[in-house]
C-alpha cells in the first residue's frame, strides 16, 4: 500500500472522518478527474478533426499533424521545468493555474484565425499536459487518508479512459455537426466548470520545500525508480507503436465494417475505464504485480491479434484484453513511481511524464516504419515483443522493490 510521502506537499485539511469533509474532499478529487478528462479530450481532439482544421486554416494534413506532435514534445520538458520553476508555490494555486491555461488553450484554438495561432494554443496545452501529470496524482493522493490513496489516484486517471470513451467521440460529433471550433469551445466550457469547483473546494496544498534542479536527479539515484523508467520506455513505446494502428488493425486484419470498428473502439474505451478502477484496488496491494499483469495482458492481446483470424468475435477478444491492460497501465506506473520515490513524488512524476512522452513519440515513429515496411501484423508482433521486454524488466530487476523503497 502506498503510504503518504513524508516529503510530499502537506495539506491543511479537516479530519477525513468528517462526513462533510469526506464529500468535499472527494468532490475536489473529482474536479481533478474531470480536469484530466477535459485535458485528454483537448489533446487528442485534432485527430478526429484534422482534415477540417487543415482546410479551414489553409495548411496540409501533414502540417496539421503538428497539432498532435508539438504538445507532446513540450510536455516532455514542461513537467521537470514547472516543478523547478514553481518553487514553494502552493500546489492549489498551481493546479488552478493549469486549469486556467487549459481554458485559454481551448478558447484560443476555438477562435484561431490562422495556423500559427492554433500552434500557440497547442503549445499552451503542452504545458498543461506536462504540469498536470506531474502535480495532480501526488495532490490527489495527499487529499485523502492513506487507505484511500490508490482509489483517489485511479479516479483522477479514470478521466483519461472517460475521454477515450466519451470526450474524443463527442468532440468529433460536435465538430461534424457544428464545426470544429465548437468542439474546442465546449471543452473550454467544461474546463471552466472544473475551475469553479477547484476554486470552491480544493484546499491549500503548501509545498514542504522548494524543489531544485538537483532534486530532479533523486529518482535517477533510486534503483526502483530507474527500473520503472526503463520499463516505461519499452512498455509505452510498444503500446503506442501498435495503438496508432488500432483502427487499421480492426479494418484490415479482422475485416470489420465501419459499424464493427466503431463498436469495438467504444468497447476498448469502456473496458479501459473499468481497468483503471480495477488497477486502483490492485495497486493498493501490489504495484509490481499490477504492472506485470498489465504488461502480460497487453503482450497477449498484441500477439493474439495475429493468431485469431478474422471476424467480430476475434476482434472483440483482442480489444477487451487490450483495453483492460491499457486501463491498468497509468495507475500501475504512476503508483510504481510514487512508491519508488516517496520523499520526492513530484520529481518522480515529472520524470515519468518525460519518459511517457519520449516513449510515445518513439513508439509511434517505430510503428510507422514497421507498418510501411512489413505490414500491420508485423507491427503487432514487434510491439508485443517490446512489451514483453518491459515485463521481463519488472520480473527481474523489479524484485528488489521493497528493499529499494525502504532505503
Amino acid at each position: 500500500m502506498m503510504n503518504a510521502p513524508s516529503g510530499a506537499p502537506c495539506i491543511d485539511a479537516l479530519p477525513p472522518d468528517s462526513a462533510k469533509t469526506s464529500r468535499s474532499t472527494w468532490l475536489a478529487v473529482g474536479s481533478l478527474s474531470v480536469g484530466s478528462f477535459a485535458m485528454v479530450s483537448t489533446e487528442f481532439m485534432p485527430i478526429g478533426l484534422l482534415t477540417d482544421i487543415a482546410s479551414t486554416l489553409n495548411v496540409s494534413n501533414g502540417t496539421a499533424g503538428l497539432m498532435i506532435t508539438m504538445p507532446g514534445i513540450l510536455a516532455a520538458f514542461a513537467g521537470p521545468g514547472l516543478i523547478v520553476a514553481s518553487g514553494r508555490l502552493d500546489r492549489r494555486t498551481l493546479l488552478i493555474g493549469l486549469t486556467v491555461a487549459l481554458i485559454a488553450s481551448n478558447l484560443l484554438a476555438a477562435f484561431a484565425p490562422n495556423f500559427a495561432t492554433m500552434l500557440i494554443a497547442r503549445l499552451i496545452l503542452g504545458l498543461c499536459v506536462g504540469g498536470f501529470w506531474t502535480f495532480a496524482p501526488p495532490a490527489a493522493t495527499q487529499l485523502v487518508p492513506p487507505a484511500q490513496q490508490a482509489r483517489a489516484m485511479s479516479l483522477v486517471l479514470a478521466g483519461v479512459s472517460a475521454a477515450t470513451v466519451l470526450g474524443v467521440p463527442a468532440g468529433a460529433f460536435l465538430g461534424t455537426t457544428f464545426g470544429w471550433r465548437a468542439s474546442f469551445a465546449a471543452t473550454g466550457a467544461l474546463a471552466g466548470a472544473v475551475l469553479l469547483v477547484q476554486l470552491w473546494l480544493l484546499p491549500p496544498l503548501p509545498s514542504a520545500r522548494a524543489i531544485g534542479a538537483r532534486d530532479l536527479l533523486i529518482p535517477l539515484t533510486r534503483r526502483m525508480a530507474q527500473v520503472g523508467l526503463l520499463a516505461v520506455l519499452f512498455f509505452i513505446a510498444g503500446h503506442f507503436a501498435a495503438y496508432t494502428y488500432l483502427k487499421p488493425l480492426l479494418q484490415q486484419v479482422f475485416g470489420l465494417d465501419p459499424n464493427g470498428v466503431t463498436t469495438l473502439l467504444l468497447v476498448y474505451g469502456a473496458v479501459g475505464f473499468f481497468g483503471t478502477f480495477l488497477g486502483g484496488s490492485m495497486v493498493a496491494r501490489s504495484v509490481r504485480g499490477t504492472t506485470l499483469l498489465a504488461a502480460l495482458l497487453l503482450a497477449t492481446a498484441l500477439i493474439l491479434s495475429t493468431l485469431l483470424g478474422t471476424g467480430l468475435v476475434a476482434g472483440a477478444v483482442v480489444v477487451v484484453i487490450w483495453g483492460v491492460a491499457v486501463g491498468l497501465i497509468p495507475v500501475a506506473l504512476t503508483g510504481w513511481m510514487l512508491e519508488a520515490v516517496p520523499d520526492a513524488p513530484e520529481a518522480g512524476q515529472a520524470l515519468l511524464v518525460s519518459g511517457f512522452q519520449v516513449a510515445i513519440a518513439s513508439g509511434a515513429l517505430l510503428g510507422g516504419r514497421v507498418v510501411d515496411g512489413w505490414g500491420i501484423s508485423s507491427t503487432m508482433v514487434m510491439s508485443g515483443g517490446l512489451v514483453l521486454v518491459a515485463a521481463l524488466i519488472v520480473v527481474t530487476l523489479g524484485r528488489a522493490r521493497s528493499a529499494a523503497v525502504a532505503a
Side-chain angles (χ1 to χ4, degrees), residues 76-314:
F77 298 96
L82 286 174
I83 199 174
V84 173
S86 62
R88 297 193 62 180
L89 181 67
D90 190 305
R91 277 11 185 185
R92 175 183 185 272
T93 302
L94 186 59
L95 287 168
I96 288 173
L98 289 170
T99 304
V100 171
L102 178 60
I103 296 170
S105 171
N106 275 286
L107 294 182
L108 190 60
F111 294 100
N114 51 53
F115 191 64
T117 304
M118 173 62 79
L119 287 185
I120 293 173
R122 301 299 290 176
L123 288 173
I124 295 173
L125 176 67
L127 289 174
C128 296
V129 171
F132 183 89
W133 292 124
T134 297
F135 296 106
T141 59
Q142 291 298 306
L143 281 166
V144 298
Q148 297 177 323
Q149 288 177 354
R151 179 186 171 193
M153 184 176 65
S154 65
L155 180 62
V156 172
L157 296 176
V160 177
S161 297
T164 303
V165 178
L166 300 174
V168 176
F173 172 77
L174 284 174
T176 300
T177 307
F178 302 104
W180 61 266
R181 296 183 187 276
S183 299
F184 288 102
T187 312
L190 178 61
V194 169
L195 176 63
L196 293 178
V197 175
Q198 290 178 346
L199 288 169
W200 176 35
L201 293 176
L202 201 62
L205 304 167
S207 178
R209 63 184 180 86
I211 297 178
R214 287 187 176 182
D215 292 307
L216 292 176
L217 300 178
I218 291 176
L220 299 180
T221 66
R222 306 292 173 82
R223 174 178 169 79
M224 292 318 300
Q226 296 169 358
V227 172
L229 290 172
L230 181 61
V232 161
L233 294 178
F234 287 95
F235 207 153
I236 304 305
H239 168 55
F240 273 88
Y243 175 65
T244 305
Y245 302 98
L246 175 57
K247 185 174 181 179
L249 172 73
L250 296 175
Q251 292 173 325
Q252 299 174 25
V253 175
F254 291 103
L256 302 183
D257 59 22
N259 289 334
V261 171
T262 300
T263 299
L264 289 190
L265 288 178
L266 289 173
V267 169
Y268 175 86
V271 295
F273 193 67
F274 164 77
T276 299
F277 283 102
L278 176 64
S281 61
M282 294 181 63
V283 163
R285 293 190 291 269
S286 174
V287 170
R288 179 171 173 255
T290 306
T291 306
L292 179 60
L293 177 63
L296 293 177
L297 285 175
L298 181 55
T300 298
L302 295 173
I303 294 172
L304 279 179
S305 70
T306 67
L307 302 175
L308 290 183
T310 62
L312 183 63
V313 174

Side-chain angles (χ1 to χ4, degrees), residues 40-49 106 167-168 171-172 183-184 187:
V40 173
S41 296
T42 302
E43 184 178 8
F44 295 111
M45 190 91 69
I47 292 177
L49 305 171
N106 275 286
V168 176
S183 299
F184 288 102
T187 312

Side-chain angles (χ1 to χ4, degrees), residues 300-340:
T300 298
L302 295 173
I303 294 172
L304 279 179
S305 70
T306 67
L307 302 175
L308 290 183
T310 62
L312 183 63
V313 174
V317 170
V318 169
V319 162
V320 168
I321 298 173
W322 194 340
V324 172
V326 168
L328 294 174
I329 289 172
V331 182
L333 295 178
T334 300
W336 183 295
M337 193 58 69
L338 288 173
E339 193 169 281

